[in-house]
Amino acid sequence: MTTRFPLLLPFLCLFSAGVTYAQTRLVEKVTRQGNELVIPYEKYVLPNSLTLIVHEDHSDPIVHVDVTYHVGSAREEIGKSGFAHFFEHMMFQGSDHVADDEHFKIVTESGGTLNGSTNRDRTNYYETLPSNQLERALWLEADRMGFLLDAVTQKKFEIQRATVKNERGQNYDNRPYGLAGEYVAKNLYAYGHPYSWLTIGYIEDLNRVNVNDLKNFFLRWYGPNNAVLTIGGDVTAKQVVALTEKYFGSIPRGPEVTKTQVPTPVVDKDRYVSYEDNVRFPMLQLVFPTVPNYHPDEAPLDALAEILGGGKNSLFYKNLVKTQLAVQANASHPATELAGQLAMVVLPFPGKSLDSTEAVVRRTLAEFERRGATDDDIAQFRATREADLINGLSSVSGKVSQLAAFQTYLGNPNYLPQELKRYKSVTKADVMRVYNQYIKGKNAVILTVYPKGKPEIVAKPDNYTVSTANYKAPDYGYNGLAYTKPKDSFDRAVKPGPGPNPALKVPPFWNDKLPNGIKVIGARNDEIPAITMLFTIKGGHLLEANDPSKAGVAQLTASLMNEATQNYTNEQLNTKLEKLGSSIDIRANTEEITISVEALIKNLDSTLALVEEKLLRPKFAQDDFDRLKKQQLELISNQSTQPVVIANKAYSKLLYGSANIRSVPLSGTTKTVETITLDDVKAFYKNYLSPSVTNMVVVGDIEQAAIMPKLAFLSKWAAKPVKIPTTPAPKKIDKTRLYLIDKEQAAQSEIRIGYLTNMPYDATGDYYKAALANYMLGGAFSSRINMNLREDKGYTYGARSGFSSTNTPGPFTAQAGVKAAATDSSVIEFVKEITNYAKSGITEQELAFVKSSLGQSDALRYETSLQKAFFLSRIIEYNLPRNYVEQQSEILRKITKAEIDAVAKKQLPINNMIITVVGNKQLIKPGLEKLGYELVELDKEGNVLGSSTTPADVPAGGAPAKMSSGKKN
């Protein structure tokens, strides 16, 4: 029910810290009636036009704060692209009352998490914290809204400019197909259209801008009248309004902001464009202009995209993937505030020209036109969207994000019921109408991404050049902007303290066991009418140690279990699942095969019937096997184009040695997968998938007494003994060596530094204490490694370190993707930070930060069903006591600097580590040679160049780095 308050409430006075404010306007109050899909809230408007939305949810002692500014890259102009995103970075660099880099530190120290994001149309900043930290979060957000500019310095500007460049390098320039979106945008939209460039912007534009440009951008768009403050969680509206008035009430309005008006994109002919990339699979994209989000035709266009290429029963999957013409084929309909586009993406297998791929796409569209949308298509689409909307409400952050988006774009936070209605109202006629209106006979941007040296495979020669004619730069009103600071009657320099600590408790859970040995653990979560189930079948890739020549068979087995069963084709299974709004996903991992299940409670029985099919009656059809084996082989070949994958593979091979199955990728190698037969898959399933090594986690809106009888079908699964092979102990690293792998023309270098520890996972012993010790070295955003390489030097978008063990000891690893020119300097800084931490240990101030941050973060750990499931999975996997969280809290509370220092000294042997670097050898090798290490060159498979010797057989080590060598910082 919605209650609206169109007038000012008479003398709505709020009192906080001796300050009185009046005339905050309560606009409406929305409450839930029965089981309707509604997010309850109260909406207010402050005198400075800041919109405040408050959602009360007292189920967990947390609060989520979101400030959304209605400014994204669509408010930029030619020559100044990337500004909105760049400014997002600057908003974390301190303000008048918050020191440099303190924003992250304060929130993390308070037990919270935080971030920001920018898209075409908006920028948002958000924190999730224990609810007693609400005032601190509002103080932080208000300070950067009202007091930012005097704290912006040239040094901060340059560091964040470097960070944004690194982000572009990591996520776009150094990633396969990373520039595809950029090519589509500039060729789909007219020159100067605010969607004709990506949010990340162009490097040359980032190089061009200055601090004054940045300040004007803030003054133009970052006023309270262009912002929505949305707060949800264990709070009251009265409390939130009082604090909002205190911290935001005096911030003056900014210039007026009006909705951007742009012409609808018109594509006058098929625009063929192409570019070369370091990829194995070519890419073909057909992109048609459509409608903005919330347009009446958006929902049927979404349905059309699902029918054409949304899953395993889509037409593209049938005609391109199942026929082994492509490794991937899909369609999607991303729509944003000013425009939308229906994109069809195909990655065909190598060796064919893309004109033949385009022909298959065109024939598929003609097939859809003849066939039309079916009743099943519509039922699947409606059920899937309903489930998506419900699952999006599982967390306070999810609900807050929905309210903020609806208010920002529509001015109506209570749009969720209409959102559900418009998707559940889609008809077959609607889908055919939008197909005829936006796709049939219409022109598109047709992009080919072709592998190096193969321009001849493009679909058609490029025939379009962007025209700059008739472009007129918009006048956004940057002239004459002035910075007016708020005036307060309280001292903003005083950082608010926390409120009373919220009551924290581990969610209650139950244990059970099925007759065939499956151990079950579960918890009730009644916040949404849904259920999450997770089966963990131990073994996975580790079982391939019994026959390493068949490495990759675990992944093939899991892939085939996602296909047809003895009673249903894959298409029939997917139709059933989508009509239920459910999902069943089977995956192989290093130590287990997992089956994850998501379902609405009302459809649980029907979903479990399909779980029974997939788990107990897989068909293992020869044609499915042939197709999936071919895909796996092609994906293995494709790994050599990805620097991150190359680095991880080589590093694992160096860590574990060739005698350990962990040195072989989960996917196997070309040599091993080529030998795998369908009989090998059947044997793996028969011999190794057993209830005797299976754990099951159940979290949802159902009690133990109700769920256990529904699991009776699992008793049909006969138990058998399964022995997990033991892995050989690795050879000790005698000294640190540097291993270099060439990735020609790489924009960034991937660095991995570490060694294999002797610590298995332990929730309350040495392993837990090592994680505490690492938190300030490389675990937190404000850790030494990240602050050095990202915030101080600008070498990377992010750097980190950590320990990673299971029941068997795992590695300590420090890692980052860094700009190529700073590769040797980055290695020096990594080594310096690890060396200093091992030598001098943690400071008392850092120890206090660790205790405060980790000691309060438990409030955030158990909110959603998925979080509860992971928590319970850890308990059952490692046989942890019910009170292990309390034990950890006690260890954290009592741990001393001397204990942390001892752990760091013991667990960070910098002179006995592996350093792996993947990058452009021609550029980075000279600098690396000066570091004083023995340098060993490897190929992309991790083998020593010019030798058949594998790295595991090479004596590990090298001299310690000389801190004075390499480039000056």
Side-chain angles (χ1 to χ4, degrees):
M1 186 176 79
T2 304
T3 305
R4 298 188 182 277
F5 302 89
L7 302 175
L8 290 178
L9 290 184
F11 302 107
L12 173 59
C13 295
L14 306 163
F15 301 91
S16 180
V19 184
T20 303
Y21 301 95
Q23 294 190 324
T24 289
R25 185 159 59 99
L26 174 59
V27 178
E28 64 181 357
K29 180 174 183 176
V30 172
T31 56
R32 179 184 291 114
Q33 302 296 312
N35 294 322
E36 63 180 337
L37 195 66
V38 165
I39 308 172
Y41 66 88
E42 294 182 20
K43 174 180 170 180
Y44 299 84
V45 176
L46 276 65
N48 60 8
S49 296
L50 174 67
T51 299
L52 169 66
I53 301 169
V54 185
H55 163 65
E56 294 190 30
D57 178 350
H58 302 287
S59 58
D60 294 281
I62 63 174
V63 62
H64 186 79
V65 176
D66 178 290
V67 184
T68 296
Y69 296 89
H70 199 170
V71 55
S73 58
R75 303 282 192 185
E76 297 164 356
E77 54 192 294
I78 290 290
K80 293 182 179 179
S81 66
F83 235 66
H85 174 252
F86 187 7
F87 198 83
E88 176 210 320
H89 281 249
M90 292 303 300
M91 285 281 275
F92 288 98
Q93 299 310 301
S95 45
D96 275 7
H97 310 105
V98 181
D100 298 1
D101 301 314
E102 281 290 295
H103 198 112
F104 269 99
K105 184 177 180 182
I106 289 170
V107 173
T108 309
E109 186 177 36
S110 301
T113 62
L114 73 160
N115 214 326
S117 70
T118 310
N119 64 27
R120 288 169 161 177
D121 307 309
R122 65 99 185 103
T123 306
N124 72 335
Y125 305 87
Y126 50 91
E127 300 90 8
T128 307
L129 304 102
S131 52
N132 64 322
Q133 302 286 355
L134 169 65
E135 184 171 4
R136 188 170 289 182
L138 294 180
W139 171 73
L140 285 166
E141 289 295 352
D143 210 65
R144 58 183 173 185
M145 180 186 283
F147 298 87
L148 181 84
L149 291 192
D150 286 346
V152 173
T153 66
Q154 188 69 34
K155 179 181 179 182
K156 292 180 186 178
F157 179 85
E158 295 298 343
I159 289 173
Q160 290 311 309
R161 173 153 54 187
T163 300
V164 173
K165 290 181 183 179
N166 289 326
E167 182 177 356
R168 181 182 166 101
Q170 179 174 312
N171 293 337
Y172 297 87
D173 300 327
N174 211 41
R175 178 172 291 179
Y177 318 106
L179 298 178
E182 191 166 88
Y183 273 81
V184 168
K186 70 181 181 183
N187 289 288
L188 179 63
Y189 299 101
Y191 182 80
H193 187 289
Y195 284 177
S196 63
W197 54 83
L198 296 189
T199 302
I200 192 70
Y202 295 109
I203 290 291
E204 56 268 29
D205 289 355
L206 291 170
N207 288 335
R208 184 182 299 119
V209 299
N210 58 48
V211 172
N212 289 329
D213 292 325
L214 192 86
K215 290 183 176 181
N216 275 332
F217 193 83
F218 172 82
L219 292 171
R220 180 65 187 89
W221 305 112
Y222 272 75
N225 52 304
N226 197 35
V228 178
L229 171 61
T230 311
I231 298 169
D234 190 19
V235 297
T236 65
K238 180 179 179 181
Q239 167 197 21
V240 170
V241 174
L243 291 172
T244 301
E245 277 282 14
K246 175 179 179 179
Y247 291 109
F248 291 86
S250 62
I251 301 174
R253 288 172 55 92
E256 291 301 314
V257 177
T258 58
K259 184 176 175 64
T260 301
Q261 301 290 333
V262 293
T264 301
V266 176
V267 180
D268 54 354
K269 65 177 181 179
D270 282 334
R271 298 174 179 174
Y272 286 88
V273 293
S274 64
Y275 76 94
E276 182 180 81
D277 200 358
N278 185 17
V279 294
R280 176 172 176 80
F281 305 112
M283 172 191 280
L284 179 72
Q285 276 202 61
L286 286 78
V287 184
F288 296 83
T290 59
V291 298
N293 55 7
Y294 308 115
H295 186 283
D297 288 346
E298 181 190 13
L301 281 162
D302 288 348
L304 173 63
E306 285 292 311
I307 297 166
L308 291 175
K312 288 188 174 181
N313 52 354
S314 69
L315 293 174
F316 284 172
Y317 188 86
K318 175 178 76 74
N319 292 346
L320 287 151
V321 178
K322 289 210 74 170
T323 57
Q324 300 189 40
L325 295 176
V327 68
Q328 178 182 320
N330 54 54
S332 61
H333 181 238
T336 44
E337 187 176 22
L338 305 179
Q341 53 199 57
L342 199 149
M344 307 168 190
V345 182
V346 183
L347 269 62
F349 287 109
K352 292 186 178 181
S353 175
L354 273 294
D355 58 350
S356 62
T357 303
E358 183 186 350
V360 177
V361 172
R362 301 286 188 185
R363 287 198 298 270
T364 302
L365 293 177
E367 177 186 349
F368 168 75
E369 188 177 342
R370 293 190 303 271
R371 159 196 183 276
T374 67
D375 290 333
D376 277 348
D377 290 334
I378 300 303
Q380 291 164 231
F381 176 72
R382 290 175 177 176
T384 300
R385 288 307 168 108
E386 179 186 15
D388 289 344
L389 287 172
I390 290 173
N391 289 328
L393 307 181
S394 64
S395 67
V396 169
S397 63
K399 289 182 284 187
V400 164
S401 297
Q402 283 279 33
L403 291 169
F406 290 149
Q407 173 61 36
T408 299
Y409 299 130
L410 300 168
N412 176 21
N414 191 30
Y415 189 73
L416 186 60
Q418 293 169 253
E419 183 85 335
L420 179 62
K421 181 180 178 180
R422 71 184 182 122
Y423 280 100
K424 293 190 75 171
S425 300
V426 171
T427 66
K428 294 186 291 184
D430 290 331
V431 174
M432 298 312 298
R433 175 178 56 78
V434 296
Y435 170 77
N436 288 321
Q437 184 172 347
Y438 300 102
I439 307 301
K440 182 182 178 181
K442 299 301 186 291
N443 300 310
V445 171
I446 303 168
L447 171 69
T448 300
V449 183
Y450 58 88
K452 284 191 172 183
K454 296 185 178 180
E456 70 279 1
I457 72 165
V458 299
K460 285 185 181 177
D462 293 9
N463 70 348
Y464 180 73
T465 302
V466 176
S467 171
T468 62
N470 302 318
Y471 170 69
K472 182 180 180 181
D475 181 4
Y476 282 130
Y478 287 114
N479 293 329
L481 295 174
Y483 181 32
T484 304
K485 285 191 177 183
K487 296 180 180 179
D488 298 295
S489 56
F490 68 98
D491 187 359
R492 283 187 185 261
V494 178
K495 179 173 67 175
N501 287 334
L504 297 178
K505 63 177 182 178
V506 172
F509 59 89
W510 48 265
N511 293 90
D512 215 322
K513 191 172 184 178
L514 293 171
N516 58 0
I518 297 177
K519 292 185 283 187
V520 187
I521 188 170
R524 177 78 184 273
N525 182 27
D526 60 2
E527 292 182 36
I528 60 172
I531 188 167
T532 297
M533 306 172 73
L534 181 65
F535 296 76
T536 302
I537 307 169
K538 298 178 186 177
H541 180 52
L542 292 184
L543 289 163
E544 295 169 356
N546 292 324
D547 186 359
S549 69
K550 302 291 184 181
V553 68
Q555 183 163 304
L556 256 179
T557 302
S559 297
L560 275 162
M561 291 176 69
N562 281 312
E563 298 291 324
T565 68
Q566 293 170 22
N567 295 316
Y568 298 105
T569 66
N570 196 24
E571 291 76 14
Q572 289 171 330
L573 285 167
N574 281 284
T575 296
K576 287 177 175 291
L577 282 169
E578 290 188 13
K579 288 169 77 172
L580 296 170
S582 302
S583 66
I584 303 171
D585 185 44
I586 305 174
R587 292 175 185 259
N589 299 297
T590 301
E591 298 188 6
E592 68 276 323
I593 286 177
T594 60
I595 305 174
S596 55
V597 182
E598 300 279 349
L600 299 178
I601 285 294
K602 66 182 181 181
N603 296 328
L604 176 58
D605 291 344
S606 299
T607 304
L608 289 176
L610 300 178
V611 172
E612 178 178 355
E613 277 292 313
K614 285 179 171 284
L615 176 61
L616 302 185
R617 289 185 284 275
K619 186 175 183 179
F620 294 134
Q622 185 68 50
D623 56 345
D624 286 338
F625 171 79
D626 293 340
R627 170 172 45 84
L628 292 171
K629 178 177 175 179
K630 179 180 179 181
Q631 287 182 5
Q632 192 158 320
L633 285 167
E634 289 289 349
L635 290 170
I636 290 168
S637 298
N638 186 49
Q639 290 170 356
S640 64
T641 68
Q642 302 172 53
V644 171
V645 178
I646 296 169
N648 291 339
K649 284 172 60 176
Y651 181 62
S652 292
K653 201 165 188 178
L654 291 162
L655 279 176
Y656 291 104
S658 57
N660 192 322
I661 194 64
R662 292 177 185 267
S663 70
V664 181
L666 174 66
S667 58
T669 66
T670 299
K671 181 179 179 180
T672 63
V673 174
E674 283 178 341
T675 69
I676 297 173
T677 66
L678 182 57
D679 285 340
D680 293 324
V681 169
K682 291 177 179 178
F684 189 92
Y685 171 83
K686 178 181 177 182
N687 296 332
Y688 298 136
L689 273 71
S690 169
S692 61
V693 288
T694 299
N695 297 329
M696 186 176 178
V697 177
V698 180
V699 179
D701 190 13
I702 192 167
E703 298 287 356
Q704 177 184 4
I707 186 63
M708 290 306 295
K710 296 179 185 294
L711 303 179
F713 72 91
L714 292 169
S715 298
K716 303 173 186 175
W717 191 14
K720 51 185 169 284
V722 177
K723 183 179 180 182
I724 312 297
T726 56
T727 52
K731 297 177 181 179
K732 187 176 180 180
I733 301 172
D734 61 339
K735 62 177 181 178
T736 298
R737 282 188 180 84
L738 193 154
Y739 297 88
L740 173 62
I741 302 171
D742 183 28
K743 181 66 174 71
E744 61 281 355
Q745 305 302 314
Q748 287 197 315
S749 300
E750 288 291 332
I751 298 173
R752 306 289 184 270
I753 302 174
Y755 76 105
L756 195 59
T757 73
N758 60 359
M759 295 184 297
Y761 174 84
D762 184 337
T764 55
D766 290 345
Y767 182 79
Y768 175 66
K769 292 176 181 177
L772 297 181
N774 177 72
Y775 195 65
M776 285 313 302
L777 174 63
F781 181 89
S782 53
S783 67
R784 294 185 184 186
I785 285 174
N786 193 57
M787 295 304 289
N788 182 341
L789 274 78
R790 172 179 160 137
E791 297 298 300
D792 294 341
K793 304 293 192 307
Y795 292 164
T796 179
Y797 181 49
R800 64 186 187 273
S801 66
F803 293 89
S804 178
S805 291
T806 56
N807 282 310
T808 55
F812 164 82
T813 305
Q815 65 186 90
V818 303
K819 58 185 180 183
T823 304
D824 54 339
S825 300
S826 298
V827 172
I828 288 174
E829 295 305 320
F830 264 120
V831 172
K832 182 180 76 175
E833 294 296 351
I834 296 170
T835 301
N836 290 344
Y837 201 68
K839 182 178 179 181
S840 303
I842 198 168
T843 66
E844 290 290 354
Q845 184 179 13
E846 287 174 329
L847 179 58
F849 176 88
V850 172
K851 291 187 175 187
S852 177
S853 176
L854 297 180
Q856 297 182 81
S857 63
D858 276 353
L860 281 61
R861 289 174 63 179
Y862 318 115
E863 182 190 9
T864 67
S865 289
L866 196 59
Q867 286 177 305
K868 289 181 172 72
F870 285 140
F871 167 70
L872 297 180
S873 180
R874 187 170 296 275
I875 288 176
I876 199 169
E877 170 66 19
Y878 296 106
N879 194 28
L880 301 178
R882 280 182 169 265
N883 68 339
Y884 91 90
V885 173
E886 288 83 354
Q887 292 180 37
Q888 287 184 334
S889 297
E890 188 67 7
I891 292 168
L892 178 63
R893 186 178 66 83
K894 291 182 175 179
I895 201 164
T896 65
K897 169 177 164 51
E899 289 179 276
I900 293 284
D901 291 353
V903 171
K905 184 175 182 179
K906 180 180 179 181
Q907 301 298 343
L908 297 174
I910 191 60
N911 294 328
N912 302 95
M913 291 192 184
I914 293 162
I915 302 175
T916 307
V917 180
V918 177
N920 184 347
K921 183 177 78 171
Q922 184 177 0
L923 178 64
I924 68 178
K925 184 178 178 181
L928 294 174
E929 288 177 323
K930 298 176 182 178
L931 299 187
Y933 296 105
E934 178 185 345
L935 191 149
V936 180
E937 292 191 44
L938 308 176
D939 64 18
K940 290 184 176 67
E941 299 303 315
N943 301 309
V944 176
L945 282 174
S947 169
S948 59
T949 309
T950 64
D953 303 316
V954 176
K962 299 173 183 177
M963 291 300 106
S964 60
S965 65
K967 296 180 180 178
K968 299 292 184 183
N969 296 319

